[in-house]
């Protein structure tokens, strides 16, 4: 019998960690083409942090305040609409949702829900789709690839970077990963990277040039103004710069944006001139997965391939670090630190919180760094 109430994280106003409120709400009733899922785990992505700050474009356009972050989940089907045939109550599933993921229950469009791969446990499945769909769309739906192409991947130890490294090697590309912390080097090598640049101990662009003197065919960059200009400069003729985020545009302190530094970052944002791009024979591609949810044809093609590869054991899910749903503030703090590798997820199956633990967590996460 479906539950009557659920817990979800709600943000009523932009801000720091204290804006993440755990609330009780009624469980929604699925429509004819919807599926109600009792979640077991939900993925945490950098986009969720941007939602909390109030700077995520699709959140402003599609939802506004209040909002529940979260784009991906795994769990059990609890109820289906009358037109849903591919899953039934009791089935283990995973899927994507346009927000509302940080919850014990998700009511999702049926065409964005898929059977969970047997090769993934619930936590692994919850952290799989957002990063792998982003990587797949960038590499396999935006550009034409050929074996032997040279690829540079920034933030290679993160979720999307981990997926990109594996997809590149699966398609016989030569890939160099860039990391910002030395403890991430071995992790990226184990994923299959041909070379790793540790920019905490090496000159990033000197090393990138040494490794590939003629320039890269593809550069994947979610950093923003810190690296975009040089990423473009290090493309070879016919090369493509693929942009899917602007992390360094949003420097923060104790969970808050430093708006002065953000404004200075905007001034440093490179402007790509179509005339110079034409004469240099280079291109720029930019995309955001949250604006792609209407293209179910692309999503289904990607999920079909990704599921096949993970079931066959030729692609692995990122390593996962999990937090209780009540510890969502700690999860955001960890993600913002830049120290993590792989994916972070929130456990939503009970028992997942107590009120006292939740309040203590928010106080700890909101405390100034010492």
């Amino acid at each position: 019998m479906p539950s009557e109430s659920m817990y979800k994280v709600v943000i009523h106003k932009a801000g720091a960690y204290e804006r993440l409120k755990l609330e009780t709400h009624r469980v929604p009733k699925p429509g004819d083409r919807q599926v109600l899922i009792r979640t077991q785990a939900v993925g945490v992505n950098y986009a969720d942090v941007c939602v909390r700050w109030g700077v995520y474009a699709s959140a402003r356009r599609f939802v506004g305040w209040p909002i529940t972050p979260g784009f991906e989940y795994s769990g059990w089907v609890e109820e289906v609409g009358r037109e849903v045939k591919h899953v039934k109550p009791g089935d283990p599933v995973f899927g994507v949702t346009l927000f509302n993921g940080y919850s014990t229950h998700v009511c999702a469009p049926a065409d964005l829900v898929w059977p969970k791969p047997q090769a993934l446990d619930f936590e692994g499945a919850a952290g799989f789709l957002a990063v792998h769909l982003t990587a797949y769309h960038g590499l396999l739906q935006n550009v034409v690839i050929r074996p032997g192409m040279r690829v540079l991947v920034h933030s290679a130890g993160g979720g999307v970077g981990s997926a990109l490294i594996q997809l590149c090697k699966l398609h016989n590309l030569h890939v160099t990963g860039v990391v910002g912390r030395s403890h991430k080097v071995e992790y990226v090598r184990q994923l299959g990277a041909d070379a790793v640049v540790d920019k905490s101990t090496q000159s990033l662009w000197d090393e990138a040039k040494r490794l590939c003197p003629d320039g890269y065919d593809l550069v994947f960059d979610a950093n923003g103004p810190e690296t975009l200009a040089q990423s473009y400069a290090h493309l070879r003729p016919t090369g493509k710069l693929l942009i899917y985020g602007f992390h360094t545009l949003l420097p923060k302190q104790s969970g808050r944006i430093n708006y002065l530094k953000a404004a200075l970052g905007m001034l440093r944002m490179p402007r790509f001139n179509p005339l110079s791009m034409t004469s240099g024979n280079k291109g720029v591609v930019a995309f955001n997965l949250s604006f792609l949810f209407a293209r179910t044809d692309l999503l289904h093609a990607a999920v079909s391939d990704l599921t096949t590869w993970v079931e066959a054991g030729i692609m692995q899910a990122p390593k996962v670090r999990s937090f209780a749903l009540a510890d969502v503030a700690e999860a955001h703090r960890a993600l913002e630190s830049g120290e993590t590798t792989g994916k972070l997820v929130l456990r939503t199956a009970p028992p997942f919180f107590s009120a006292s633990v939740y309040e203590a967590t928010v106080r700890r996460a909101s405390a100034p760094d010492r």
Side-chain angles (χ1 to χ4, degrees):
M1 193 68 181
S3 305
E4 293 186 0
S5 62
M6 67 180 186
Y7 294 97
K8 67 177 182 178
V9 175
V10 181
I11 304 170
H12 291 270
K13 183 179 178 182
Y17 309 114
E18 72 276 2
R19 298 297 183 188
L20 297 161
K21 304 294 185 182
L22 193 62
E23 298 179 354
T24 306
H25 288 257
R26 290 190 64 82
V27 174
K29 181 77 174 175
D32 289 349
R33 299 181 180 178
Q34 291 183 316
V35 178
L36 177 65
I37 299 99
R38 179 189 291 273
T39 63
Q40 294 290 296
V42 300
V44 179
N45 294 283
Y46 189 79
D48 305 336
V49 175
C50 294
V51 170
R52 193 193 78 229
W53 289 333
V55 297
Y56 203 65
S58 63
R60 296 197 305 268
R61 180 183 301 183
F62 298 133
V63 183
W65 305 111
I67 190 171
T68 293
F71 289 101
E72 57 184 343
Y73 59 86
S74 67
W76 302 94
V77 174
E78 190 160 285
E79 189 176 353
V80 299
R82 63 181 182 179
E83 296 184 23
V84 179
K85 306 299 182 187
H86 71 295
V87 294
K88 64 184 185 303
D91 285 353
V93 294
F94 69 160
V96 291
T97 175
L98 194 58
F99 310 107
N100 296 312
Y102 286 17
S103 177
T104 59
H105 292 75
V106 170
C107 194
D111 55 4
L112 298 179
V113 180
W114 295 274
K116 183 184 72 68
Q118 293 183 2
L120 300 178
D121 61 19
F122 281 105
E123 290 187 5
F128 186 82
L129 282 175
V131 295
H132 283 81
L133 287 173
T134 299
Y136 186 104
H137 181 65
L139 183 67
L140 300 175
Q141 293 178 332
N142 267 298
V143 294
V144 177
I145 60 173
R146 298 174 302 281
M149 291 176 75
R150 311 278 293 203
V151 184
L152 183 72
V153 176
H154 290 280
S155 305
V160 177
S162 300
L164 280 167
I165 296 291
Q166 293 187 76
L167 283 175
C168 285
K169 297 313 301 177
L170 186 60
H171 290 84
N172 299 312
L173 310 183
H174 185 284
V175 59
T176 297
V178 180
V179 299
R181 302 288 192 277
S182 295
H183 71 272
K184 299 183 180 184
V185 171
E186 185 56 32
Y187 172 67
V188 174
R189 288 193 189 280
Q190 290 175 359
L191 291 172
D194 297 283
V196 182
V197 179
D198 177 6
K199 62 182 182 181
S200 70
T201 62
Q202 298 171 291
S203 170
L204 167 56
W205 297 115
D206 287 347
E207 188 64 11
K209 178 74 171 178
R210 185 188 70 80
L211 291 168
C212 191
D214 296 329
Y216 293 87
D217 296 288
L218 304 173
V219 177
F220 285 87
D221 194 333
N223 289 331
E226 179 183 278
T227 54
L228 281 175
Q230 285 298 312
S231 289
Y232 183 80
H234 283 74
L235 292 174
R236 68 183 302 183
T238 73
K240 303 292 189 295
L241 170 61
L242 293 105
I243 303 169
Y244 59 96
F246 304 91
H247 293 182
T248 64
L249 187 63
L250 299 168
K252 61 276 179 189
Q253 294 177 337
S254 299
R256 301 179 186 277
I257 297 176
N258 184 322
Y259 286 98
L260 175 59
K261 288 185 177 179
L264 293 174
M266 282 295 296
L267 294 175
R268 295 170 53 211
M269 188 73 73
R271 271 60 173 174
F272 298 105
N273 187 314
L275 290 174
S276 61
M277 290 168 65
T278 302
S279 60
N281 206 11
K282 302 177 182 181
V284 177
V285 179
F287 60 94
N288 183 317
L289 187 66
S290 66
F291 287 106
L292 192 65
F293 280 22
R295 291 296 307 272
T296 54
D297 57 328
L298 297 177
L299 295 177
H300 279 268
V303 172
S304 177
D305 281 346
L306 291 166
T307 300
T308 298
W309 294 331
V310 77
E311 293 283 38
I314 57 177
M315 171 170 276
Q316 65 185 54
K319 69 176 185 179
V320 171
R321 177 181 175 190
S322 66
F323 297 78
L325 181 62
D327 293 336
V328 58
E330 290 287 357
H332 276 216
R333 187 181 184 111
L335 191 61
E336 291 174 36
S337 73
E339 297 287 342
T340 61
T341 55
K343 278 300 297 281
L344 307 183
V345 302
L346 301 173
R347 302 185 304 274
T348 54
F352 55 83
F353 80 99
S354 68
S356 60
V357 169
Y358 178 66
E359 294 298 331
T361 296
V362 172
R363 285 197 299 273
R364 287 199 309 273
S366 302
D369 292 327
R370 290 179 173 84

